Amino acid sequence: MNPSSNACKTTQTHKTTSQRLSITRQTHLTSVLEAYIRNARLINSTTAKPKPLIILTPKQISHVQASVICSKKVGYQLKIRSGGHDYEGISYISDHPFFLLDMFNLRSVQVDVKNESAWVQTGATLGELYYTIWQNSKAHGFPAGVCPTVAVGGHFSGGGYGNMLRKYGLAVDNVLDAQIVDVNGKLLDRKSMGEDLFWAIRGGGGASFGVIISYKIKLVLVPEIVTVFKVERYIEEDATDVAHKWQFVAPKTDNDLFMRMLLQPVTSKTKKKEKTIRVSIYAFYLGNADALVSLLGKEFPELGLKKENCNETSWIQSVVWWANSINITSPKDLLDRNLNSANFLKRKSDYVQTPISKDGLNWIFQRMIELGKTGLVFNAYGGRMNEIPATDAPFPHRAGNLFKIQYSVNWQQAGSTAENEYLTQIRKLYSYMTPFVSKNPRSAFLNYRDLDIGVMESGKNSYEEGSVYGFKYFKGNFDRLVKAKTAVDPENFFRNEQSIPTLPSKA
């Protein structure tokens, strides 16, 4: 699998002629770049950064190997993009001239039902993975995310969670093997890369270590019938009581049940000119509606769940339901990559280890109403997440965490005025939440990328700078990631604004 030496000559030519690209070629480069940009803030805003000099779109592994060797030889940074859902866009933007390795053509999914496993390339989307599993087996699924256009590469390498995490853990807890092209252009599998590197790319962010080609995953069993529901409450009803009780039930209930809670400032249904908070609970249960209604009738009577609130369906139809889009109404729609569909957005994250009191919730609700638009998403942990040691993978947020918070704000208006307004909103809410969340460090989730919590200065390789965000994302696992990085990429070729640094060189 040695790449052709001609590729380097081609790359050299690109370097010397990149400034003379024709309008047609520049337009094509822009269209390819923007097809997989999911955050419009990184295209049209005052914070938009320079575009790549060239975009490499490999169709086979040897193309990836050549891209790594030649980018390194000509001295350009190589950024790697799988699906473009990085919230801060660091897979496709940079302050310095760079090449973009776009993995969207490497999207094969090979399912082995007999061995209950599958090989999936990192350019495949979750929708493509789920659809292909379903085509091969109605009894299997996989515990990854609910957004079907997210690609495997970034999702898995950053941890990857979905609505079966309390039953089966994270996506990376179900990875059996992997293929990666290292800094020397060599293709490695689990055996040849060694356990330290294999550990690192199961939640430590693959782009710090090489180009991940594919993962071998363990499929999980799903019943013939699963149940989903959505229930809403408002402050003027009993939303505070429901939100408070959710914290005690969702992380401790049956492992077959996952409940996500959304807190959103909205216009009141009864007082049209006033703002209120809507509490929405979305649930997924590996079982039928009767069992679910009985379970929550005992554990969560405040919710008042009835069978008519529930939807009994197949696992693949539950994937469609959770995708929560008018464009996705059948399993086949999961194959739609929905290109050129960027929204203006900002996300942040936190972890909660102690339930928030009713007074605390009411105080938070009032701050959210004052701010105007930023919402919170509470994702329950517990179950299998409590059983897996914090050191088993780089993702450290296991036992002791009740739930994870995602801060979420979207807007429609282009321009710096709107951008500054909404960025200020979400940052203020994050500040307000300080008393209620984890401390020392204030933990964060890598896949909810947030450059506010620390950045590696462009062109630098600083353990000190990297540790600022590194300990928030990885806690005690950060230093092991640094050692793995130093061993496989000592010159820090694979880098980005929040990559893993190497160990400081000894004088």
Side-chain angles (χ1 to χ4, degrees):
M1 293 203 173
N2 292 328
S4 169
S5 61
N6 288 334
C8 284
K9 296 176 183 177
T10 303
T11 309
Q12 289 279 19
T13 302
H14 271 296
K15 182 177 180 182
T16 58
T17 63
S18 60
Q19 299 304 315
R20 299 195 298 274
L21 286 170
S22 67
I23 293 176
T24 302
R25 291 180 66 193
Q26 187 63 51
T27 301
H28 179 63
L29 182 143
T30 300
S31 67
V32 173
L33 175 66
E34 294 186 358
Y36 286 91
I37 289 180
R38 307 294 185 173
N39 189 347
R41 182 163 61 91
L42 305 171
I43 309 173
N44 301 313
S45 78
T46 55
T47 60
K49 295 188 178 183
K51 297 175 181 177
L53 294 177
I54 62 172
I55 300 176
L56 304 158
T57 57
K59 293 187 176 181
Q60 56 195 49
I61 296 173
S62 63
H63 296 166
V64 175
Q65 295 174 288
S67 297
V68 171
I69 291 170
C70 299
S71 298
K72 186 179 177 183
K73 183 173 182 178
V74 300
Y76 278 117
Q77 182 180 13
L78 184 67
K79 292 250 179 167
I80 307 152
R81 180 169 73 173
S82 299
H85 282 79
D86 187 297
Y87 285 144
E88 300 281 15
I90 68 172
S91 61
Y92 53 84
I93 61 174
S94 178
D95 286 325
H96 291 284
F98 69 104
F99 295 166
L100 172 61
L101 184 62
D102 220 338
M103 300 291 284
F104 62 83
N105 284 321
L106 295 176
R107 61 175 75 178
S108 77
V109 182
Q110 297 175 313
V111 175
D112 182 347
V113 177
K114 182 180 178 180
N115 291 306
E116 297 185 304
S117 65
W119 275 102
V120 54
Q121 290 187 317
T122 51
T125 65
L126 297 183
E128 291 162 355
L129 172 61
Y130 298 153
Y131 182 83
T132 307
I133 293 172
W134 171 69
Q135 280 190 313
N136 285 272
S137 171
K138 305 300 182 282
H140 292 89
F142 189 71
V146 299
C147 177
T149 59
V150 168
V152 163
H155 186 70
F156 284 19
S157 68
Y161 83 98
N163 53 26
M164 290 195 283
L165 90 164
R166 302 190 68 255
K167 179 71 171 181
Y168 294 114
L170 305 172
V172 292
D173 298 325
N174 297 276
V175 166
L176 304 172
D177 202 343
Q179 289 183 313
I180 185 172
V181 172
D182 72 4
V183 71
N184 298 311
K186 292 181 179 180
L187 179 65
L188 308 173
D189 62 7
R190 178 175 183 174
K191 183 177 181 180
S192 57
M193 77 175 75
E195 287 302 302
D196 285 341
L197 179 53
F198 181 68
W199 175 86
I201 62 173
R202 292 189 305 114
S208 290
F209 302 96
V211 183
I212 302 173
I213 302 295
S214 59
Y215 285 101
K216 183 181 182 182
I217 58 175
K218 176 188 176 184
L219 304 183
V220 302
L221 293 174
V222 294
E224 184 178 351
I225 294 176
V226 303
T227 303
V228 295
F229 73 74
K230 174 186 176 183
V231 173
E232 294 182 347
R233 294 287 192 276
Y234 294 80
I235 287 181
E236 48 269 35
E237 298 168 336
D238 56 354
T240 304
D241 291 340
V242 168
H244 182 254
K245 186 63 175 287
W246 177 93
Q247 300 174 95
F248 295 87
V249 177
K252 298 179 181 179
T253 188
D254 192 297
N255 291 8
D256 287 337
L257 175 60
F258 172 79
M259 290 190 289
R260 164 181 283 181
M261 183 165 67
L262 277 66
L263 311 178
Q264 297 165 296
V266 296
T267 301
S268 172
K269 292 192 299 183
T270 55
K271 300 178 181 179
K272 296 299 182 181
K273 293 185 179 181
E274 293 187 13
K275 284 279 189 178
T276 186
I277 294 294
R278 180 177 65 209
V279 174
S280 306
I281 295 179
Y282 291 79
F284 172 86
Y285 180 64
L286 291 158
N288 62 41
D290 286 335
L292 178 57
V293 171
S294 175
L295 174 67
L296 291 183
K298 297 172 184 175
E299 295 187 353
F300 201 174
E302 294 86 349
L303 193 61
L305 184 70
K306 300 177 181 178
K307 188 170 182 179
E308 52 263 37
N309 302 132
C310 300
N311 178 10
E312 290 184 330
T313 187
S314 64
W315 172 72
I316 195 66
Q317 287 293 345
S318 78
V319 172
V320 171
W321 185 88
W322 271 84
N324 195 27
S325 168
I326 59 173
N327 298 318
I328 298 179
T329 58
S330 72
K332 194 170 184 180
D333 293 333
L334 297 171
L335 302 178
D336 183 0
R337 292 189 161 218
N338 196 23
L339 304 180
N340 300 294
S341 57
N343 296 311
F344 293 95
L345 61 88
K346 172 67 179 177
R347 303 289 189 266
K348 298 177 74 67
S349 64
D350 259 321
Y351 283 88
V352 174
Q353 298 167 340
T354 304
I356 303 170
S357 69
K358 288 184 182 180
D359 286 344
L361 286 171
N362 282 323
W363 185 85
I364 292 167
F365 292 166
Q366 289 306 309
R367 302 293 80 73
M368 294 174 70
I369 290 171
E370 291 168 6
L371 291 172
K373 193 171 175 64
T374 302
L376 299 175
V377 184
F378 290 6
N379 292 287
Y381 275 27
R384 180 71 179 132
M385 293 293 284
N386 283 352
E387 299 167 0
I388 300 172
T391 56
D392 191 68
F395 179 97
H397 315 293
R398 306 286 189 170
N401 292 288
L402 297 175
F403 55 94
K404 175 179 64 201
I405 297 177
Q406 182 187 62
Y407 300 75
S408 175
V409 65
N410 289 24
W411 63 95
Q412 301 298 321
Q413 312 95 311
S416 59
T417 301
E419 180 176 335
N420 291 336
E421 176 186 348
Y422 293 113
L423 292 182
T424 298
Q425 269 194 35
I426 194 170
R427 287 165 178 161
K428 280 187 176 180
L429 184 56
Y430 181 80
S431 178
Y432 292 151
M433 291 295 292
T434 303
F436 308 107
V437 300
S438 62
K439 299 170 179 64
N440 301 315
R442 183 173 182 172
S443 299
F445 178 38
L446 180 63
N447 276 355
Y448 289 172
R449 178 82 66 188
D450 182 9
L451 295 183
D452 292 349
I453 69 170
V455 176
M456 180 71 69
E457 186 179 336
S458 184
K460 288 187 67 175
N461 178 26
S462 166
Y463 175 87
E464 184 178 0
E465 288 186 8
S467 64
V468 173
Y469 54 81
F471 281 105
K472 294 172 185 175
Y473 285 139
F474 307 113
K475 301 176 72 173
N477 293 331
F478 175 66
D479 280 337
R480 184 177 172 186
L481 285 168
V482 172
K483 291 178 182 177
K485 166 73 171 182
T486 305
V488 301
D489 183 21
E491 296 179 0
N492 196 35
F493 174 72
F494 292 110
R495 63 190 185 276
N496 58 50
E497 288 78 356
Q498 282 190 340
S499 56
I500 302 298
T502 62
L503 285 168
S505 58
K506 296 180 180 179

